[in-house]
Amino acid sequence: MSEILINTKVLVKNDEIADSNRKILKDRGIFTINLMSSPGSGKTSIVEKTIELLKGKVNVAVIEGDVQTDLDTQRILKYGIPATQINTGRSCHLDARMIQHTLPWLFGQGEVDLMIIENVGNMVCPAGYDLGEDVKVAVMSVTEGDDKPLKYPALFSASQYLLINKIDLLAYTNFNMERARHNALTINPKLKIIVTSCTNGTGIKEWVESILKDKFL
Amino acid sequence: MSEILINTKVLVKNDEIADSNRKILKDRGIFTINLMSSPGSGKTSIVEKTIELLKGKVNVAVIEGDVQTDLDTQRILKYGIPATQINTGRSCHLDARMIQHTLPWLFGQGEVDLMIIENVGNMVCPAGYDLGEDVKVAVMSVTEGDDKPLKYPALFSASQYLLINKIDLLAYTNFNMERARHNALTINPKLKIIVTSCTNGTGIKEWVESILKDKFL
């Protein structure tokens, strides 16, 4: 059997499980976000800031995807939020089956309104794997360069949101915001772009309000 | 056939081709570097700075690996250096066969002493694929965080060098250099660590001298 044929079969199977996950989560009223980016773009910090803003208003649970370690889960658990780790080992992305296996844990955590899945830090692989989420969110930081949407188009075309993060570092880079927006919108004209910083708080409120609007509308 | 068995077979085949590449390159006196990192860690800038320092002394050729676009190759061609692009499409890494297919191009470029391969921006996949290089170099930038060696150990354990890049941005981050070194050396005690900046030139001379020493000793 050729590699391509196997890949297609894997993706078809993944999509079936993802659709099942989506139905189960929807039936329970759980809105799910899949956060994807390079390593070190600030995904975990965005999860932390989101939790801070929603605390006492919305019940959040977090799934942390990583090749190894539970460092990010430990960061989230400090907020008193249910969080669990999926270690993917040699795999460069989460898949729908991994999320399916995590659902029994999730349903044991009391009432959950919003589940945030932080994918493995990787701009290539995660984009191809539907997990059953409601919204896919790409994160890129200004220190990574404004050419990234052109170089890694799959992530940007699969996502509904783009958070351009670490805006506090803009002055120290040659990142061109106008060019970045243009590149991202060339790949995906429907992308909702929000500029953020977890250091000075820029855009976090706007981001959280957008997500809540998506959930409750 | 199971996915794992196929993966193992693919890797064995890859290693055979990589060994053949290495022999062919060695016979021609071409020293080869495989540069790996997240998207946006500054790999292409490091290639540019390396070319600048070696110009007129060492004949350099460059292979640029990207999912899409030839943006990086265009940057390198401006230096009057032979450079070619490998677009991997849906694949998240270069493999030995892609390099094998590029050798006829390389051997048509006149005398080449040093070949730099810039891998696809990805901290997970490239580490598992030997290309036939002499030296594997991991790059991480301080804006990515000091926990990366623990979270993506395969890259750091496979590499002989680690360039900690964008040191000019250190003051604006919470990156702890001592912790980063400790994390990296925990994963791979033999790692040669060089701190670099392509903006202010820190460490570039040291890096280039180390590579030349590796080549000519």
Side-chain angles (χ1 to χ4, degrees), chain B residues 74-90:
Chain B
Q74 295 304 329
R75 282 173 62 179
I76 300 305
L77 285 171
K78 288 185 187 153
Y79 290 82
I81 291 285
T84 192
Q85 184 73 37
I86 299 176
N87 281 134
T88 60
R90 279 173 57 181

Side-chain angles (χ1 to χ4, degrees), chain B residues 4 31 33 48 55 70 86 89 98 114 118 122 125 129 135 138 143 157 165-166 176 181 188 201:
Chain B
I4 289 167
F31 189 78
I33 297 172
E48 290 176 318
K55 196 137 198 187
D70 65 347
I86 299 176
M98 297 175 192
L114 173 65
E118 182 181 336
N122 188 319
C125 318
Y129 287 79
V135 173
T143 53
S157 67
N165 197 31
K166 305 196 188 181
N176 181 315
R181 283 181 183 275
N188 180 356

Side-chain angles (χ1 to χ4, degrees), chain B residues 36-107:
Chain B
M36 300 177 288
S37 80
S38 297
S41 298
K43 289 187 297 306
T44 314
S45 297
I46 284 169
V47 175
E48 290 176 318
K49 294 295 165 193
T50 304
I51 292 169
E52 280 174 12
L53 261 189
L54 290 175
K55 196 137 198 187
K57 298 176 205 151
V58 173
N59 299 305
V60 184
V62 175
I63 296 176
E64 287 290 343
D66 273 302
V67 173
Q68 274 193 34
T69 81
D70 65 347
L71 293 170
D72 291 348
T73 300
Q74 295 304 329
R75 282 173 62 179
I76 300 305
L77 285 171
K78 288 185 187 153
Y79 290 82
I81 291 285
T84 192
Q85 184 73 37
I86 299 176
N87 281 134
T88 60
R90 279 173 57 181
S91 179
C92 53
H93 58 86
L94 293 173
D95 63 34
R97 194 185 298 272
M98 297 175 192
I99 300 303
Q100 184 184 43
H101 289 171
T102 311
L103 295 182
W105 166 83
L106 180 68
F107 300 150

Side-chain angles (χ1 to χ4, degrees), chain A residues 18 39 52 64-65 85 116 120 137 141 143 158 181 190 195 205:
Chain A
E52 280 175 12
E64 287 290 341
Q85 185 74 38
I116 305 177
V120 176
V137 180
S141 65
T143 54
R181 281 180 184 275
K190 291 187 180 167
V195 171
K205 197 157 169 268

